[in-house]
Amino acid sequence: MFRVLLIDDDARLFELLSAYLAQNEVALSHAPDGPHGLSMLDAEPFDAVLLDVMMPGMNGLEVCRRIRSRSNTPILMLTAKGDEADRVVGLEMGADDYIPKPFGPRELLARLRAVLRRARPESVADRIQVGPIAIDAARREVKVSGRAVELTGLEFDLLMALMRRSGRVIPRDALLSEAGRSDVVVSERTVDVHISHLRQKLGDDPREPKLIKTVRGIGYVLAKGEP
């Protein structure tokens, strides 16, 4: 279970996120403003910080600067949609990533996992195995029945997302967010093409796939266990 601190004056956002994140092994705590957040970070350890830029009093950019001056805790900035200046300044001050408001809990979780994976690869399951597929997340290596498979960066992230939710259907339009790749702008048809390439590389029969299955009209699911 990861411990994450949300520093945001919007209490309703905390209510909306806490239950969803708890179902995905993230315990969310809340600080209503910058000074409270800094005090909580001094008092107890957190794996990451979700930090709103627009807050009364001490704004998020100043909070980011103070956090970074004392620790390397991963920071995910919550910014106003289209406000490029805040994003650039936040990244220059040491934020690890940003997500524009409004956002969905699923996308936030994917971004959070990506930040944790980059900052502390050992904290996010290094090795995942589902059926014959084994992934070493830290080395970004994939093996199928012991055979090494070369994937592109996007293919790897898509496979990782499917493996983390094996047995559960991921809608096409949510798959990139689950993979932490919301920066990639593609159509659902392009996602289908990447999945097709991924199946080929994994040795999955495109006519009757047994690893990555299509749920017609919805998306994809990675089958649990041996095919």
Side-chain angles (χ1 to χ4, degrees):
M1 180 72 77
F2 296 109
R3 301 186 69 247
V4 174
L5 176 63
L6 171 66
I7 306 177
D8 194 311
D9 59 328
D10 185 354
R12 185 169 178 272
L13 179 62
F14 170 68
E15 294 173 0
L16 291 173
L17 291 177
S18 57
Y20 177 82
L21 292 178
Q23 296 171 2
N24 290 275
E25 300 183 345
V26 177
L28 190 65
S29 299
H30 180 225
D33 55 42
H36 280 91
L38 293 171
S39 294
M40 291 178 69
L41 287 166
D42 284 340
E44 51 188 318
F46 287 92
D47 295 299
V49 175
L50 303 177
L51 178 59
D52 186 32
V53 171
M54 298 298 293
M55 291 187 293
M58 186 187 297
N59 67 31
L61 297 176
E62 175 61 18
V63 176
C64 178
R65 186 188 69 79
R66 296 193 186 193
I67 293 173
R68 193 51 74 233
S69 70
R70 64 185 79 178
S71 80
N72 291 319
T73 303
I75 301 171
L76 180 61
M77 301 289 292
L78 312 180
T79 68
K81 188 173 184 179
D83 199 339
E84 183 177 358
D86 282 345
R87 294 199 292 269
V88 171
V89 174
L91 293 172
E92 288 176 345
M93 286 187 170
D96 296 270
D97 200 357
Y98 66 86
I99 182 170
K101 291 183 176 181
F103 53 79
R106 182 180 291 156
E107 181 181 3
L108 176 70
L109 177 63
R111 291 275 186 152
L112 183 59
R113 283 174 170 165
V115 165
L116 287 166
R117 190 162 56 241
R118 290 195 298 267
R120 292 171 50 205
E122 74 282 358
S123 72
V124 179
D126 274 351
R127 294 176 176 80
I128 304 174
Q129 177 143 4
V130 179
I133 307 172
I135 280 184
D136 186 320
R139 294 184 173 85
R140 293 181 73 83
E141 295 176 348
V142 178
K143 292 184 178 180
V144 179
S145 300
R147 173 180 61 89
V149 176
E150 293 293 329
L151 301 180
T152 66
L154 181 55
E155 289 166 352
F156 180 91
D157 290 337
L158 291 172
L159 179 60
M160 175 72 82
L162 288 165
M163 291 187 70
R164 289 193 183 282
R165 293 172 62 87
S166 61
R168 290 181 284 179
V169 180
I170 303 180
R172 280 182 178 81
D173 61 0
L175 188 51
L176 285 172
S177 293
E178 288 283 350
R181 294 299 296 269
S182 297
D183 56 308
V184 180
V185 180
V186 297
S187 66
E188 292 186 5
R189 174 57 185 159
T190 309
V191 171
D192 293 341
V193 172
H194 283 292
I195 292 294
S196 176
H197 292 164
L198 187 53
R199 281 173 171 155
Q200 292 175 14
K201 292 181 179 181
L202 296 177
D204 206 7
D205 188 339
R207 293 166 299 181
E208 294 184 20
K210 295 180 180 179
L211 297 174
I212 303 175
K213 298 185 177 182
T214 301
V215 179
R216 190 176 299 276
I218 301 178
Y220 297 99
V221 59
L222 183 73
K224 285 188 173 182
E226 293 289 338

mmCIF file of all heavy atoms in Angstrom, residues 54-92:
data_model
loop_
_atom_site.group_PDB
_atom_site.id
_atom_site.type_symbol
_atom_site.label_atom_id
_atom_site.label_comp_id
_atom_site.label_asym_id
_atom_site.label_seq_id
_atom_site.Cartn_x
_atom_site.Cartn_y
_atom_site.Cartn_z
ATOM 1 N N MET A 54 -3.057 26.070 -7.775
ATOM 2 C CA MET A 54 -3.861 27.221 -7.375
ATOM 3 C C MET A 54 -4.455 27.020 -5.986
ATOM 4 O O MET A 54 -5.481 26.360 -5.827
ATOM 5 C CB MET A 54 -4.978 27.454 -8.394
ATOM 6 C CG MET A 54 -4.466 27.776 -9.786
ATOM 7 S SD MET A 54 -3.491 29.297 -9.825
ATOM 8 C CE MET A 54 -4.767 30.495 -9.444
ATOM 9 N N MET A 55 -3.800 27.564 -4.980
ATOM 10 C CA MET A 55 -4.305 27.515 -3.608
ATOM 11 C C MET A 55 -4.158 28.893 -2.983
ATOM 12 O O MET A 55 -3.223 29.636 -3.316
ATOM 13 C CB MET A 55 -3.529 26.486 -2.774
ATOM 14 C CG MET A 55 -3.770 25.052 -3.157
ATOM 15 S SD MET A 55 -2.975 23.900 -1.994
ATOM 16 C CE MET A 55 -1.234 24.229 -2.308
ATOM 17 N N PRO A 56 -5.067 29.268 -2.080
ATOM 18 C CA PRO A 56 -4.924 30.570 -1.400
ATOM 19 C C PRO A 56 -3.710 30.564 -0.473
ATOM 20 O O PRO A 56 -3.282 29.522 0.017
ATOM 21 C CB PRO A 56 -6.229 30.685 -0.604
ATOM 22 C CG PRO A 56 -6.696 29.276 -0.414
ATOM 23 C CD PRO A 56 -6.269 28.540 -1.649
ATOM 24 N N GLY A 57 -3.148 31.747 -0.254
ATOM 25 C CA GLY A 57 -1.968 31.830 0.611
ATOM 26 C C GLY A 57 -0.751 31.329 -0.133
ATOM 27 O O GLY A 57 -0.375 31.848 -1.188
ATOM 28 N N MET A 58 -0.110 30.313 0.393
ATOM 29 C CA MET A 58 1.066 29.735 -0.238
ATOM 30 C C MET A 58 0.641 28.882 -1.433
ATOM 31 O O MET A 58 -0.029 27.864 -1.263
ATOM 32 C CB MET A 58 1.834 28.872 0.780
ATOM 33 C CG MET A 58 3.162 28.340 0.249
ATOM 34 S SD MET A 58 3.925 27.168 1.412
ATOM 35 C CE MET A 58 4.209 28.238 2.835
ATOM 36 N N ASN A 59 1.019 29.288 -2.637
ATOM 37 C CA ASN A 59 0.567 28.517 -3.799
ATOM 38 C C ASN A 59 1.405 27.247 -3.991
ATOM 39 O O ASN A 59 2.431 27.039 -3.342
ATOM 40 C CB ASN A 59 0.554 29.372 -5.066
ATOM 41 C CG ASN A 59 1.952 29.784 -5.521
ATOM 42 O OD1 ASN A 59 2.929 29.071 -5.312
ATOM 43 N ND2 ASN A 59 2.040 30.949 -6.144
ATOM 44 N N GLY A 60 0.932 26.410 -4.904
ATOM 45 C CA GLY A 60 1.567 25.117 -5.099
ATOM 46 C C GLY A 60 2.996 25.187 -5.584
ATOM 47 O O GLY A 60 3.811 24.312 -5.267
ATOM 48 N N LEU A 61 3.333 26.206 -6.355
ATOM 49 C CA LEU A 61 4.704 26.323 -6.855
ATOM 50 C C LEU A 61 5.689 26.565 -5.715
ATOM 51 O O LEU A 61 6.779 25.991 -5.685
ATOM 52 C CB LEU A 61 4.791 27.453 -7.885
ATOM 53 C CG LEU A 61 3.957 27.237 -9.160
ATOM 54 C CD1 LEU A 61 4.038 28.467 -10.053
ATOM 55 C CD2 LEU A 61 4.418 25.992 -9.907
ATOM 56 N N GLU A 62 5.276 27.402 -4.748
ATOM 57 C CA GLU A 62 6.133 27.642 -3.586
ATOM 58 C C GLU A 62 6.232 26.392 -2.718
ATOM 59 O O GLU A 62 7.305 26.058 -2.196
ATOM 60 C CB GLU A 62 5.587 28.812 -2.767
ATOM 61 C CG GLU A 62 6.331 29.076 -1.460
ATOM 62 C CD GLU A 62 7.800 29.438 -1.645
ATOM 63 O OE1 GLU A 62 8.189 29.821 -2.773
ATOM 64 O OE2 GLU A 62 8.558 29.336 -0.668
ATOM 65 N N VAL A 63 5.099 25.682 -2.578
ATOM 66 C CA VAL A 63 5.118 24.427 -1.809
ATOM 67 C C VAL A 63 6.052 23.428 -2.478
ATOM 68 O O VAL A 63 6.847 22.753 -1.813
ATOM 69 C CB VAL A 63 3.699 23.832 -1.689
ATOM 70 C CG1 VAL A 63 3.748 22.481 -0.974
ATOM 71 C CG2 VAL A 63 2.778 24.783 -0.936
ATOM 72 N N CYS A 64 5.982 23.351 -3.807
ATOM 73 C CA CYS A 64 6.862 22.444 -4.563
ATOM 74 C C CYS A 64 8.326 22.781 -4.293
ATOM 75 O O CYS A 64 9.149 21.899 -4.051
ATOM 76 C CB CYS A 64 6.537 22.541 -6.053
ATOM 77 S SG CYS A 64 7.583 21.520 -7.110
ATOM 78 N N ARG A 65 8.657 24.064 -4.343
ATOM 79 C CA ARG A 65 10.043 24.491 -4.103
ATOM 80 C C ARG A 65 10.515 24.067 -2.720
ATOM 81 O O ARG A 65 11.627 23.560 -2.559
ATOM 82 C CB ARG A 65 10.142 26.005 -4.250
ATOM 83 C CG ARG A 65 11.567 26.535 -4.174
ATOM 84 C CD ARG A 65 11.603 28.043 -4.136
ATOM 85 N NE ARG A 65 11.066 28.569 -2.876
ATOM 86 C CZ ARG A 65 11.746 28.600 -1.733
ATOM 87 N NH1 ARG A 65 12.977 28.121 -1.680
ATOM 88 N NH2 ARG A 65 11.195 29.101 -0.640
ATOM 89 N N ARG A 66 9.645 24.244 -1.716
ATOM 90 C CA ARG A 66 10.032 23.898 -0.341
ATOM 91 C C ARG A 66 10.150 22.386 -0.147
ATOM 92 O O ARG A 66 11.043 21.913 0.570
ATOM 93 C CB ARG A 66 9.020 24.494 0.648
ATOM 94 C CG ARG A 66 8.999 26.020 0.626
ATOM 95 C CD ARG A 66 8.250 26.577 1.815
ATOM 96 N NE ARG A 66 8.099 28.030 1.726
ATOM 97 C CZ ARG A 66 7.719 28.801 2.733
ATOM 98 N NH1 ARG A 66 7.441 28.251 3.922
ATOM 99 N NH2 ARG A 66 7.603 30.107 2.580
ATOM 100 N N ILE A 67 9.257 21.639 -0.766
ATOM 101 C CA ILE A 67 9.362 20.175 -0.666
ATOM 102 C C ILE A 67 10.681 19.711 -1.276
ATOM 103 O O ILE A 67 11.418 18.914 -0.691
ATOM 104 C CB ILE A 67 8.176 19.480 -1.369
ATOM 105 C CG1 ILE A 67 6.868 19.756 -0.634
ATOM 106 C CG2 ILE A 67 8.416 17.964 -1.449
ATOM 107 C CD1 ILE A 67 5.642 19.229 -1.364
ATOM 108 N N ARG A 68 10.965 20.228 -2.472
ATOM 109 C CA ARG A 68 12.154 19.763 -3.171
ATOM 110 C C ARG A 68 13.444 20.178 -2.467
ATOM 111 O O ARG A 68 14.468 19.503 -2.572
ATOM 112 C CB ARG A 68 12.123 20.289 -4.614
ATOM 113 C CG ARG A 68 13.109 19.645 -5.547
ATOM 114 C CD ARG A 68 13.061 18.101 -5.535
ATOM 115 N NE ARG A 68 11.914 17.544 -6.216
ATOM 116 C CZ ARG A 68 11.087 16.685 -5.670
ATOM 117 N NH1 ARG A 68 11.251 16.287 -4.404
ATOM 118 N NH2 ARG A 68 10.079 16.184 -6.352
ATOM 119 N N SER A 69 13.394 21.257 -1.688
ATOM 120 C CA SER A 69 14.586 21.699 -0.969
ATOM 121 C C SER A 69 14.941 20.769 0.188
ATOM 122 O O SER A 69 16.053 20.801 0.688
ATOM 123 C CB SER A 69 14.389 23.123 -0.434
ATOM 124 O OG SER A 69 13.440 23.146 0.621
ATOM 125 N N ARG A 70 13.961 19.939 0.582
ATOM 126 C CA ARG A 70 14.206 19.075 1.738
ATOM 127 C C ARG A 70 14.088 17.581 1.445
ATOM 128 O O ARG A 70 14.484 16.758 2.278
ATOM 129 C CB ARG A 70 13.250 19.452 2.878
ATOM 130 C CG ARG A 70 11.774 19.224 2.589
ATOM 131 C CD ARG A 70 10.874 19.722 3.706
ATOM 132 N NE ARG A 70 10.700 21.166 3.642
ATOM 133 C CZ ARG A 70 9.934 21.863 4.472
ATOM 134 N NH1 ARG A 70 9.288 21.251 5.438
ATOM 135 N NH2 ARG A 70 9.808 23.165 4.342
ATOM 136 N N SER A 71 13.534 17.200 0.302
ATOM 137 C CA SER A 71 13.387 15.767 0.018
ATOM 138 C C SER A 71 13.232 15.519 -1.473
ATOM 139 O O SER A 71 13.024 16.451 -2.266
ATOM 140 C CB SER A 71 12.174 15.190 0.755
ATOM 141 O OG SER A 71 10.975 15.492 0.059
ATOM 142 N N ASN A 72 13.328 14.243 -1.847
ATOM 143 C CA ASN A 72 13.141 13.823 -3.236
ATOM 144 C C ASN A 72 11.802 13.136 -3.442
ATOM 145 O O ASN A 72 11.623 12.395 -4.412
ATOM 146 C CB ASN A 72 14.272 12.869 -3.652
ATOM 147 C CG ASN A 72 15.606 13.577 -3.745
ATOM 148 O OD1 ASN A 72 15.685 14.702 -4.232
ATOM 149 N ND2 ASN A 72 16.660 12.930 -3.246
ATOM 150 N N THR A 73 10.856 13.360 -2.526
ATOM 151 C CA THR A 73 9.534 12.753 -2.649
ATOM 152 C C THR A 73 8.922 13.108 -4.003
ATOM 153 O O THR A 73 8.876 14.285 -4.374
ATOM 154 C CB THR A 73 8.598 13.256 -1.530
ATOM 155 O OG1 THR A 73 9.189 12.980 -0.264
ATOM 156 C CG2 THR A 73 7.232 12.574 -1.617
ATOM 157 N N PRO A 74 8.466 12.129 -4.787
ATOM 158 C CA PRO A 74 7.864 12.415 -6.085
ATOM 159 C C PRO A 74 6.668 13.368 -5.956
ATOM 160 O O PRO A 74 5.840 13.214 -5.059
ATOM 161 C CB PRO A 74 7.418 11.045 -6.593
ATOM 162 C CG PRO A 74 8.326 10.087 -5.902
ATOM 163 C CD PRO A 74 8.566 10.668 -4.544
ATOM 164 N N ILE A 75 6.592 14.357 -6.856
ATOM 165 C CA ILE A 75 5.523 15.355 -6.840
ATOM 166 C C ILE A 75 4.793 15.340 -8.174
ATOM 167 O O ILE A 75 5.410 15.483 -9.237
ATOM 168 C CB ILE A 75 6.082 16.769 -6.594
ATOM 169 C CG1 ILE A 75 6.834 16.840 -5.265
ATOM 170 C CG2 ILE A 75 4.956 17.802 -6.632
ATOM 171 C CD1 ILE A 75 7.594 18.144 -5.063
ATOM 172 N N LEU A 76 3.485 15.166 -8.112
ATOM 173 C CA LEU A 76 2.627 15.250 -9.291
ATOM 174 C C LEU A 76 1.787 16.511 -9.150
ATOM 175 O O LEU A 76 0.953 16.610 -8.254
ATOM 176 C CB LEU A 76 1.726 14.010 -9.383
ATOM 177 C CG LEU A 76 0.757 13.912 -10.558
ATOM 178 C CD1 LEU A 76 1.505 13.899 -11.877
ATOM 179 C CD2 LEU A 76 -0.094 12.654 -10.439
ATOM 180 N N MET A 77 2.025 17.489 -10.025
ATOM 181 C CA MET A 77 1.330 18.767 -9.947
ATOM 182 C C MET A 77 -0.057 18.666 -10.583
ATOM 183 O O MET A 77 -0.226 18.041 -11.628
ATOM 184 C CB MET A 77 2.130 19.850 -10.674
ATOM 185 C CG MET A 77 3.529 20.085 -10.156
ATOM 186 S SD MET A 77 3.602 20.900 -8.547
ATOM 187 C CE MET A 77 3.002 22.539 -8.952
ATOM 188 N N LEU A 78 -1.044 19.305 -9.939
ATOM 189 C CA LEU A 78 -2.395 19.400 -10.479
ATOM 190 C C LEU A 78 -2.563 20.824 -10.989
ATOM 191 O O LEU A 78 -2.551 21.770 -10.200
ATOM 192 C CB LEU A 78 -3.429 19.094 -9.396
ATOM 193 C CG LEU A 78 -3.183 17.828 -8.550
ATOM 194 C CD1 LEU A 78 -4.283 17.666 -7.519
ATOM 195 C CD2 LEU A 78 -3.085 16.597 -9.446
ATOM 196 N N THR A 79 -2.670 20.996 -12.304
ATOM 197 C CA THR A 79 -2.659 22.329 -12.890
ATOM 198 C C THR A 79 -3.964 22.617 -13.622
ATOM 199 O O THR A 79 -4.707 21.704 -13.988
ATOM 200 C CB THR A 79 -1.503 22.484 -13.894
ATOM 201 O OG1 THR A 79 -1.750 21.650 -15.035
ATOM 202 C CG2 THR A 79 -0.179 22.108 -13.267
ATOM 203 N N ALA A 80 -4.224 23.906 -13.837
ATOM 204 C CA ALA A 80 -5.384 24.311 -14.619
ATOM 205 C C ALA A 80 -5.174 23.910 -16.069
ATOM 206 O O ALA A 80 -4.058 23.984 -16.590
ATOM 207 C CB ALA A 80 -5.589 25.819 -14.510
ATOM 208 N N LYS A 81 -6.244 23.460 -16.711
ATOM 209 C CA LYS A 81 -6.134 23.005 -18.094
ATOM 210 C C LYS A 81 -5.624 24.140 -18.985
ATOM 211 O O LYS A 81 -6.135 25.247 -18.954
ATOM 212 C CB LYS A 81 -7.499 22.537 -18.598
ATOM 213 C CG LYS A 81 -7.455 21.858 -19.953
ATOM 214 C CD LYS A 81 -8.795 21.266 -20.317
ATOM 215 C CE LYS A 81 -8.711 20.509 -21.642
ATOM 216 N NZ LYS A 81 -10.002 19.893 -21.995
ATOM 217 N N GLY A 82 -4.582 23.851 -19.761
ATOM 218 C CA GLY A 82 -4.052 24.830 -20.688
ATOM 219 C C GLY A 82 -3.094 25.824 -20.085
ATOM 220 O O GLY A 82 -2.580 26.693 -20.784
ATOM 221 N N ASP A 83 -2.833 25.743 -18.786
ATOM 222 C CA ASP A 83 -1.936 26.706 -18.147
ATOM 223 C C ASP A 83 -0.498 26.222 -18.256
ATOM 224 O O ASP A 83 0.077 25.647 -17.334
ATOM 225 C CB ASP A 83 -2.331 26.903 -16.687
ATOM 226 C CG ASP A 83 -1.763 28.192 -16.109
ATOM 227 O OD1 ASP A 83 -0.778 28.693 -16.687
ATOM 228 O OD2 ASP A 83 -2.302 28.691 -15.115
ATOM 229 N N GLU A 84 0.104 26.448 -19.417
ATOM 230 C CA GLU A 84 1.435 25.923 -19.704
ATOM 231 C C GLU A 84 2.505 26.545 -18.812
ATOM 232 O O GLU A 84 3.459 25.867 -18.413
ATOM 233 C CB GLU A 84 1.785 26.165 -21.166
ATOM 234 C CG GLU A 84 3.127 25.575 -21.574
ATOM 235 C CD GLU A 84 3.429 25.766 -23.043
ATOM 236 O OE1 GLU A 84 2.580 26.322 -23.754
ATOM 237 O OE2 GLU A 84 4.521 25.362 -23.465
ATOM 238 N N ALA A 85 2.328 27.816 -18.468
ATOM 239 C CA ALA A 85 3.352 28.493 -17.662
ATOM 240 C C ALA A 85 3.543 27.805 -16.318
ATOM 241 O O ALA A 85 4.673 27.572 -15.881
ATOM 242 C CB ALA A 85 2.966 29.962 -17.457
ATOM 243 N N ASP A 86 2.435 27.478 -15.638
ATOM 244 C CA ASP A 86 2.536 26.803 -14.344
ATOM 245 C C ASP A 86 3.202 25.437 -14.480
ATOM 246 O O ASP A 86 3.983 25.022 -13.615
ATOM 247 C CB ASP A 86 1.140 26.631 -13.722
ATOM 248 C CG ASP A 86 0.625 27.921 -13.096
ATOM 249 O OD1 ASP A 86 1.438 28.838 -12.894
ATOM 250 O OD2 ASP A 86 -0.583 28.004 -12.816
ATOM 251 N N ARG A 87 2.899 24.750 -15.565
ATOM 252 C CA ARG A 87 3.494 23.420 -15.762
ATOM 253 C C ARG A 87 5.005 23.532 -15.933
ATOM 254 O O ARG A 87 5.770 22.776 -15.338
ATOM 255 C CB ARG A 87 2.855 22.734 -16.976
ATOM 256 C CG ARG A 87 1.388 22.415 -16.793
ATOM 257 C CD ARG A 87 0.934 21.372 -17.780
ATOM 258 N NE ARG A 87 0.932 21.845 -19.157
ATOM 259 C CZ ARG A 87 -0.107 22.406 -19.746
ATOM 260 N NH1 ARG A 87 -1.227 22.576 -19.057
ATOM 261 N NH2 ARG A 87 -0.045 22.793 -21.003
ATOM 262 N N VAL A 88 5.420 24.492 -16.753
ATOM 263 C CA VAL A 88 6.861 24.663 -17.001
ATOM 264 C C VAL A 88 7.585 25.052 -15.723
ATOM 265 O O VAL A 88 8.620 24.470 -15.376
ATOM 266 C CB VAL A 88 7.092 25.734 -18.095
ATOM 267 C CG1 VAL A 88 8.574 26.069 -18.201
ATOM 268 C CG2 VAL A 88 6.562 25.240 -19.428
ATOM 269 N N VAL A 89 7.032 26.011 -14.983
ATOM 270 C CA VAL A 89 7.675 26.454 -13.742
ATOM 271 C C VAL A 89 7.710 25.309 -12.729
ATOM 272 O O VAL A 89 8.725 25.091 -12.049
ATOM 273 C CB VAL A 89 6.937 27.673 -13.140
ATOM 274 C CG1 VAL A 89 7.528 28.022 -11.779
ATOM 275 C CG2 VAL A 89 7.056 28.867 -14.079
ATOM 276 N N GLY A 90 6.617 24.576 -12.631
ATOM 277 C CA GLY A 90 6.570 23.447 -11.699
ATOM 278 C C GLY A 90 7.635 22.407 -12.006
ATOM 279 O O GLY A 90 8.328 21.922 -11.099
ATOM 280 N N LEU A 91 7.787 22.069 -13.277
ATOM 281 C CA LEU A 91 8.806 21.094 -13.664
ATOM 282 C C LEU A 91 10.210 21.629 -13.402
ATOM 283 O O LEU A 91 11.097 20.892 -12.974
ATOM 284 C CB LEU A 91 8.642 20.724 -15.138
ATOM 285 C CG LEU A 91 7.365 19.939 -15.484
ATOM 286 C CD1 LEU A 91 7.210 19.810 -16.990
ATOM 287 C CD2 LEU A 91 7.361 18.568 -14.829
ATOM 288 N N GLU A 92 10.409 22.927 -13.640
ATOM 289 C CA GLU A 92 11.714 23.525 -13.371
ATOM 290 C C GLU A 92 12.030 23.526 -11.882
ATOM 291 O O GLU A 92 13.209 23.469 -11.487
ATOM 292 C CB GLU A 92 11.749 24.951 -13.919
ATOM 293 C CG GLU A 92 11.807 25.026 -15.443
ATOM 294 C CD GLU A 92 11.754 26.450 -15.961
ATOM 295 O OE1 GLU A 92 11.390 27.351 -15.160
ATOM 296 O OE2 GLU A 92 12.073 26.658 -17.142
#
